[in-house]
Structure formats: C-alpha cells, structure tokens
Amino acid sequence: MITSINIFSQSSFGFNGYWGLSPNYNTPLYSFESNPSNYSHLKDWGFSFVYGVEFSGKLNSNIYSISLSKTLGSHNLSARFTPGYQKEFLFNTGESIIVEDSTSQSLTADFTYKELFGLGYSYKFSDDLNVGFTFRFFNQNFNQEIVTPVFDDTLYLVRESINEDVNFWKGDLGVNYMLNNNLSLTAASVNLLNFGEKASNPDFKDFEIKREIGALIGIGWMPAEPIGVNLIYETSSSFQASLNAYASNFGFGLTIFHDKLQLPYIAGMVPSVSYKGDIFELFISGVKYFSDRKVKHGVSSFLNKGISNVINNPYSFDKVLLTVSFNINTVAEKAVKFIDVEIVKDIYPTFTGNYINYPYAYGTVVNLTGEYITVKPSSKIEGVNEGKIQSPISAIAPYDTARIPFYIIIPESYKSEKTSLSYADFYVETKGDEPDDQFQKALLVNSVNSWDGRVSNLRYFIRKDIDFSMNHAKEILSKHKSELDTLPNVLEIFYEARILFNDFVSRLVYISDPRATGEYVQFPNQTFELKGGDCDDLSVGYSSLLESIGIQTALVDYKTNGTVRHVNVLFNTKLSPDQASLITNNDTKYFIRESLEGKDEVWLPVETTSLTDFETAWSDGADKFNKEAISNLGIATGKVEIIDVY
Amino acid sequence: MKKLITYLFFMSVGLFLFGCDKPAPTEFFNDSSEAEYEILSKDINNEYYSNGFDTTGVTQDITGLANIIALSGIKVTGINDQTDRFSFAQTIFFDKSKPILYSDGRLLAYETITPGIIKFDNITARKVLFRIRYRDNGVLRDTLLGKKYVLYSGRHGGMDQFHYRYDSFINFKFHLVPGSDTEFNIPTPEEITGTVNIMGKRAAGNLRALLRWNKVGNKKIIIVIGARLRDRQIIMPLYRVRTKDDGELLMPARFIYKIPLERFDRLVFTFIRRFEHFEQVNDNNDLYISSQSIHSIVVNIP
C-alpha cells in the first residue's frame, strides 16, 4: 500500500560533472543544477544540446536538454528546454480487487516527474562578481488505478483511473565571486522560491515533489595552471568533488558524488573529456553508478525512501552523453580597450591642414590579447563630421599599452561662426566593422573666424577664401589692362601688386580686432564687406589677393612688441637682384630671398595697415622690416619670422 | 555566421526528429503491503448477508460450503472502548441432497444434519437450531436449516466451559452414530489485537482509517469492514480486505467516506487471523476447518 514518498527536486548534479566556474569552458555552465546563478563566459549567443544513451537493459537514446544563452553587456539571459529530464515509475499500487469470478485484478500506477524548461538571468557587476537567478518549471503526472465502492441498491466496486497534472515553478538565487585567478566561490539557494499548483486529489498529495529549502556552496581552486579542483556541498549533506585538467584544446574532468539517499557512500562518478574549438565545445561524459542499476527494485524502497532528484536518484541508469555547445559571437570580441583619451588641440575649423598633419588627440589603448594586433583608430566630432575619420593604423604588442594619435578632417562645408562645446567620439577597431571600444570626450570647436594667434595659421584664412580674392583681383586688374600691357614682363608682378594694393587701401580702413577675448580673423570677403580690419585681416586680405593671381607671398610675424604682435606681408616680385633697380635704387626697400630653385629673388615688404598708397605702405613695410628683422637681428634671433603662405 | 546558424537550425530539427525518445521508466515489483478488496454484501438490504457477521465475525457464503468446523477466539471492543472476550466453536454438517431455494429457484442453503457427537477439548458440543434470515422478493423471511453443534463462552450467557487457547491446539472429536470416532487437533493462531485510528474529515474528503495490529509474520490476515444499519441496528459486512500480516493498513479515504451516513451510523473493523484447511473428500463430504482469532472494533462514523 502506498503511503508517502520523499522526492526532492533537482540539486547540483549535472550530466557533465562539476567543473566549478570552468574558466576554459562554458558548456558545464548551462547546468542550472550546479550553476543556479546562471554564471556565463559567453560574449554573445550560446547554444548547447545534450544527447545521451541510457543503459536500462536496452539502449535508450534521447535529447536531454537544449539551451540557448545570450549575453548583452553585463546581462546574461538563458533558456533551457529539458525533454529528457524526466523519470517515470510504473508499479502495482498494492491494491487488488476480487471480481465476480473470484479472480484477483491488481491495480497499477504510473507516476512521471518532469522538469520541462528553465529560465536564467545573471548580472556581472564586475569581472569578479556575478549575481543571478534561475527559474525552472516542473510537471508531475499522477496516473493511478483505484477501486471505489459504490453504494446504491447494491454495493459494488468500480475500478477506475484517476489522473492529475500538477505543475510548479521553483526558483533559486546565486552569487559567484572570484577571489583571484585561482580561487572562486559560489553560493546559492536550493528551492528558495516555490509557487504553482498543489495536488487536489488526496490520493496524490503525499507524492508531490518535496521542495525543502536548502543551500549549496561551491569552491573552485586551481593550484596549478592546467589543474582545477572543485567541491560543491549542499545543506542536504550531498556533495560533489571534481578534478579537472586542461591541455591545449582538450580537457578532462572526473566528478564523484555523494547523495544522501543513494548507496554506496560515493554513489557514482561522472568522467568527461572535452574539446574546445574556435566556436564550439564538445563534451563526452558518462554517468556511472557504483550500485547495480539493472537489478529490479521492490516498490517498497521507492515508497519508503523516495528519490532525491529527477535525473539522479537510486533508480537512474548509467548513461553516456554527448554535449555540443556553440559560442556564436555576432559581436566582435574586444581585443583592445581605451584607458583614456587626451585632447591636445582645440578645434579651429579653418586650420584644416593642421589636423591632417598633426594629431588633435591621443588615445591610450591597451591590447587585451596575447598576440600582436593592429589597431585602426578613427574619430568623429559631433557637429563637424558626418562620418568617422580614419587615423593611421598602429600596432600594439601583447598586453601592451600604446599612445595612439587621432587626426581629423574639417570639411570645407563647415561654416559655423559660433564657438561651441562639442564632443568627439573615438573608436578603435581590430577586425570586422564593429569597434572594439569607443570613448567620448568633450572638446572646444571654435568658430570659423577663430585664430589661435599663431601667424603661421593665418595662411589658412588666406587659402580659404581664394575664389573670392581671385575674382576680385581679376576684376581690378582688368580695369588696368592697357596699363599693364605696356609694361615689361618682368615688372608685371610689381605693378599688379601695386594696383591691387592701391585699390585695396582705397576701399578699407584700419579697425582693431572687435573681439576682446580672443583672436578673430576675417576672411577677405568679410574684410571687403566690412570695409576694414586689423593688421591680421588686412594682411590676410592683401596676401589672398596676390596669391589668387599667382604672386607668391609670405607673412612677416613681428613678435617684438610684447603681448601685441604685428604682421605684414612680403611678396615676391620675381625680379632678380640685378633687376631691382627697375623698381628702386634704394636697396633697403627690398629683401633678397632664395627660391627653391636656388635663384635669388627680390621680395618687397608691405605694411598693410598703412592705408595711404602702395609706395607709402612699401616704404613703411621696408622701414619696419629693416629695423626689426635686419638691424635688430629679428630673423636671426627668431623674433621676426617669415612664413610662406604656400 | 549565417551558415553556422543555418547548420544549427537543421541540427536542432534533426535532433527533434531522431531523438524524440524518452528515458526508460523504472518498473518495480511489488514487495510492499498488499490489500485485496472484496465486496461482501452485494445487496445491503438483504439480512442474509448479515448472518455470518455476528460476534464471530465470520462472513461466509454457506451455499458454497459443505461441512464446517469453526473455532474462534473473539474480542469485541465497543464504542466505549470496553472489550469483551468470547470463545466459540461450531460444527455444521449440510445435507447436499436437501437444498433450500429462493422463490425464484436460486440456491439459498442446504438443510443441516447432526449425525453424531462432537467434542472440542473433550467438551461435548450442544446441538442448537440453525436459523437464517433473508429477504425474498422484498419480504423478510426467517427459515430453519436444522441444527448445528455449538460451544460458546462469554459475557452473555456463557454456559460452556470451552475456552479458545491462542497459539496452541484444540482437540476435535467426532463420534459417528452409528460408526467410528474421528479425532484430530486443530491449531490456533496467535491472538490478534487491533486498533483503529480514523483520520481526516468527511467534509474534506480525506477521511481515512489507519488500522494497526500486532503483526506476526508473512501470512495474510483478513479485515472485514462492516457498518451498522441505522434503522435496524444490525451490522452489514461491506468489504473484506485480505492483506499481509505486517501490522498496518491505511484504508483509502474513498472506502470510508463513500459509506452513506443516512443508512449507517457505525463502522465495525474486524481483524481476523485465521488458520484454515479445506479438505475435499467427495462432492458431498467436503470439510472446511477454520480456526481464528478475531478482534472487532466498533467506531462511530465521524
């Protein structure tokens, strides 16, 4: 006669044995039994199935489980379908009835316990700390023949079947902590949360799975690199101990387990061998019980002792199992990582060439792999660039840290006249199209008229508006076509420069820089539009006019006036020193510079702020140049600098 | 990557198609306590079925038997927990040539005969009238089958000095007149003492009876569950349960709560540990010998 049984739902036994947190493999971690906290090494998607053969007297093969796992940043989600996690018991209930012909008919029962599926979630707070939970759904099907008396005019017995499905969820919480690379700890609940149905038929109430609350604690220790030792202990006094070894792509594990409801004391072992490929893991494992599992059991042991576990109990058969897992990375694995990014230059949008030739930022990047890697850096400034601008590729040694330069291109179309605080996104890629890492940093994007005070950068203003200057210069010179046509060719440049300057000064007045707090340089069209400017604006404007018609110019940077710098213009007449007398007999009014071809050429200094006429401006420019650059040895001492526009 | 996912998809489908077996079940052989249920009173309005259920606790369909020698050591525990002890011995000889029939022709019993002198432990058994009551076409009838041999001692009118000795032997002698003597010893079982614990509530549908007794061995005992008819104050045997003499039986709830309260007011659980012997001499001279320890316990239906 059935009275009651004690069935405990799953605890820590898994078909691949116990591998602790298994630093080299993810496959054992699909076991919600030994990994209630859903700890995972996956970077992206994972898929696993367990297929096995059971030696129950005949070979019986089936799928035990199919698992899917996905990592999203620090989150991991898992789902497991377990069609093979079930145990069916067939037995006579011990009841029989005497029927009309005095024969006896026995009544039978069929009880099936199943774990149908499970869900898991975990959050990795850091590389050391992981917390998660798993929920599993169980079904219990009770099917039993009973005999019931019926009191009517006559009393008779009715033989009937009663059936009931009882479903419930059980959930557990767990935490994993890596003390260091060699020591890890796991703690989890057993049967902490239970909810669902209860058997309504009194005949089955005593046969429901008992869900007594407990806990388990696991420790993984790797005394030497290729060897790991693991122990997991449950408060029910059951435990598993395992030894794992790793060699190249292969692994070996041997787990022994003690179950308080199974004999002998060490109830069995789970040996396993494994192979790890690039994207898959293969486990072949066996479950060998040390008691004879083919012997027929009396129902009394089942009724009195019950079972402790759906997949591991005194009536479980020996098994051989094949587990295949795939680690599918649709997201590239991070090979490099930013430590910091340093902005070394604010952005002056007009200085386009400045950022192509010189980096505006440096990223400190670490190689996370044990191999040499090449890193493709790129960056993008919000509001300036539409796409990422590639910087030169760099190589980084294994586990080394490198300082990687970032360059940028300012598009011609950028015309913002307002200075703004923006930010730049920096990327490093090693393979594929997805960056391994990215970093964002704020930076100042100045207006297109902003200037950093370095005279050498005025050339960008000269070049920027060259189309306007060319049209303007041609328009002016066309008015003096007859005059120019009568001149000897060698003097053409001199007279063109003279005509353009005289027209220039006739339209403009000197106006000091309107920006009190920063340098501001007008483009030539703005200078003409505003009808004036300071020395920077006037030098830029005049130089641009000359350059637009092919007259070579240079800016003279006078740094001698304390905080107030001055700039004026030199232009190349293309006259040789012998021909200088064609324009002046005063050798202090010109300056000889050697061309790239090695020829001496006559350059004339022009003081663009001297808005009277060309001769005066030339004379003033020459006076200043002779005094500051020559007499006071400005060029020799670096206090005066000549900067070629091209 | 798409290729890999495609492979995985087809592999999963393949596994479902070719691996959809399920783990082998475990089949147990029955080594636990067994209970064999039998209905005793098919017609619970028929007093005939109550005939055997007197204080002896013996329920027998006498139509199937020839000659009977029955010895009983009887205890009855009433609802006040007071236990009375009785000893009872009887011998019945049927004349198979004289059947007694229902009005529709069915066999009811046979007439009895008293062909000599019967002694139990050298105490001569008395010859008493043997009547049975039965219902024929809805009419309650009383009929005399003849005489039988009886020895009885107990609280009510215990005039005989016969005492049932447990776990021993009782001597039986039969002197056929005219004819020779037959003598043999009839073994007696160990005394049975039971308890009844009614658990649960009728309203909750979980009314169960936990029956316990002093277990002796691997042989079987019989437990007869009877109920007292509320209106006629007679006890009807309802079920007979044959189970291992292992000391405990949990009667399933349905066997208790199905008993209609409006017709029955008390339950009687009768524990019977019996030695029995059946000897087939010829069609007319079969001999059934039973020696039993009986403990009847009367409880109110909760």
Side-chain angles (χ1 to χ4, degrees), chain B:
Chain B
M1 186 57 65
K2 276 185 182 171
K3 203 178 250 184
L4 175 65
I5 291 169
T6 307
Y7 287 152
L8 286 176
F9 174 76
F10 282 111
M11 188 182 292
S12 305
V13 172
L15 283 172
F16 270 110
L17 289 177
F18 299 108
C20 53
D21 209 345
K22 65 175 188 176
T26 291
E27 293 182 46
F28 297 116
F29 65 82
N30 198 352
D31 63 344
S32 70
S33 59
E34 297 167 12
E36 188 180 74
Y37 292 89
E38 184 181 6
I39 291 291
L40 292 174
S41 298
K42 290 184 179 121
D43 182 354
I44 53 178
N45 296 314
N46 193 342
E47 278 79 358
Y48 170 79
Y49 290 106
S50 73
N51 280 314
F53 200 90
D54 51 21
T55 51
T56 70
V58 182
T59 62
Q60 290 159 348
D61 180 356
I62 55 179
T63 60
L65 295 175
N67 306 310
I68 298 170
I69 302 171
L71 306 173
S72 302
I74 302 162
K75 290 181 289 186
V76 178
T77 302
I79 54 171
N80 55 1
D81 282 342
Q82 186 178 336
T83 301
D84 294 326
R85 289 177 173 272
F86 309 90
S87 293
F88 183 77
Q90 68 176 349
T91 301
I92 307 169
F93 295 114
F94 293 101
D95 183 352
K96 289 285 184 80
S97 64
K98 295 177 179 173
I100 298 173
L101 305 175
Y102 286 101
S103 56
D104 61 4
R106 286 183 295 122
L107 178 65
L108 173 66
Y110 297 99
E111 290 184 13
T112 60
I113 53 175
T114 49
I117 299 167
I118 299 288
K119 290 183 179 178
F120 294 99
D121 280 350
N122 277 326
I123 303 169
T124 302
R126 291 177 285 114
K127 294 176 186 175
V128 297
L129 294 176
F130 183 19
R131 295 176 187 277
I132 60 169
R133 299 175 74 199
Y134 67 101
R135 191 175 291 272
D136 189 10
N137 279 334
V139 179
L140 194 62
R141 294 182 188 278
D142 199 334
T143 191
L144 179 66
L145 299 183
K147 288 184 176 179
K148 63 179 179 179
Y149 301 93
V150 169
L151 284 177
Y152 173 76
S153 68
R155 195 178 59 173
H156 304 293
M159 69 287 284
D160 302 315
Q161 289 305 306
F162 172 71
H163 296 288
Y164 190 86
R165 295 189 305 279
Y166 296 101
D167 201 14
S168 180
F169 295 92
I170 290 175
N171 182 259
F172 172 81
K173 278 184 190 167
F174 174 41
H175 175 66
L176 183 64
V177 179
S180 59
D181 288 354
T182 302
E183 179 178 356
F184 51 82
N185 287 332
I186 299 171
T188 59
E190 197 170 307
E191 182 178 5
I192 192 165
T193 303
T195 61
V196 177
N197 183 16
I198 303 289
M199 302 183 298
K201 292 181 178 173
R202 173 181 281 269
N206 60 358
L207 200 62
R208 292 176 294 179
L210 178 62
L211 310 180
R212 289 201 171 102
W213 63 93
N214 58 321
K215 63 180 177 182
V216 168
N218 293 324
K219 291 186 176 175
K220 293 194 172 180
I221 67 158
I222 290 169
I223 301 172
V224 174
I225 295 94
R228 192 177 75 165
L229 281 166
R230 194 179 280 275
D231 52 352
R232 277 172 276 170
Q233 305 288 301
I234 56 172
I235 295 168
M236 297 290 295
L238 300 176
Y239 329 114
R240 174 163 55 204
V241 185
R242 190 184 300 273
T243 187
K244 279 185 180 173
D245 193 355
D246 56 5
E248 185 174 292
L249 176 72
L250 182 68
M251 284 285 293
R254 54 189 178 276
F255 279 94
I256 309 296
Y257 72 72
K258 289 276 186 179
I259 297 173
L261 262 183
E262 66 279 8
R263 297 164 72 178
F264 300 99
D265 60 354
R266 285 180 184 165
L267 293 175
V268 180
F269 294 87
T270 302
F271 301 82
I272 304 168
R273 181 175 290 137
R274 170 182 288 162
F275 289 158
E276 59 187 346
H277 176 74
F278 186 79
E279 194 168 318
Q280 190 167 20
V281 180
N282 56 50
D283 284 348
N284 294 323
N285 292 299
D286 293 346
L287 180 62
Y288 173 72
I289 303 169
S290 69
S291 168
Q292 57 240 329
S293 167
I294 297 170
H295 186 191
S296 290
I297 301 171
V298 183
V299 295
N300 283 320
I301 295 178

Side-chain angles (χ1 to χ4, degrees), chain A residues 455-587:
Chain A
V455 173
S456 60
N457 287 332
L458 285 177
R459 55 188 163 177
Y460 295 111
F461 292 89
I462 295 167
R463 294 172 193 169
K464 179 96 176 174
D465 214 10
I466 203 77
D467 288 346
F468 166 81
S469 299
M470 185 168 66
N471 292 335
H472 183 81
K474 284 180 177 174
E475 184 186 337
I476 301 303
L477 292 175
S478 65
K479 292 175 183 172
H480 297 270
K481 185 171 183 304
S482 56
E483 181 187 347
L484 291 170
D485 286 348
T486 59
L487 290 171
N489 281 345
V490 293
L491 293 176
E492 191 173 333
I493 289 173
F494 173 78
Y495 279 98
E496 283 175 349
R498 184 169 177 265
I499 289 166
L500 288 174
F501 188 83
N502 284 334
D503 177 78
F504 187 69
V505 301
S506 69
R507 296 168 185 263
L508 306 174
V509 294
Y510 178 83
I511 305 166
S512 64
D513 196 330
R515 271 54 172 184
T517 56
E519 294 286 354
Y520 180 89
V521 175
Q522 296 166 183
F523 296 108
N525 67 324
Q526 292 174 314
T527 302
F528 280 102
E529 196 175 309
L530 295 170
K531 300 184 185 306
D534 66 0
C535 68
D536 312 324
D537 307 323
L538 296 171
S539 296
V540 164
Y542 183 54
S543 173
S544 179
L545 288 173
L546 297 183
E547 289 284 352
S548 73
I549 56 169
I551 298 173
Q552 195 177 2
T553 63
L555 298 172
V556 186
D557 180 13
Y558 296 97
K559 307 171 184 175
T560 53
N561 287 347
T563 56
V564 181
R565 299 169 74 154
H566 184 67
V567 62
N568 60 22
V569 175
L570 279 174
F571 72 91
N572 185 357
T573 62
K574 289 286 182 180
L575 296 170
S576 66
D578 295 341
Q579 295 169 321
S581 59
L582 295 174
I583 55 171
T584 181
N585 291 321
N586 183 352
D587 61 2

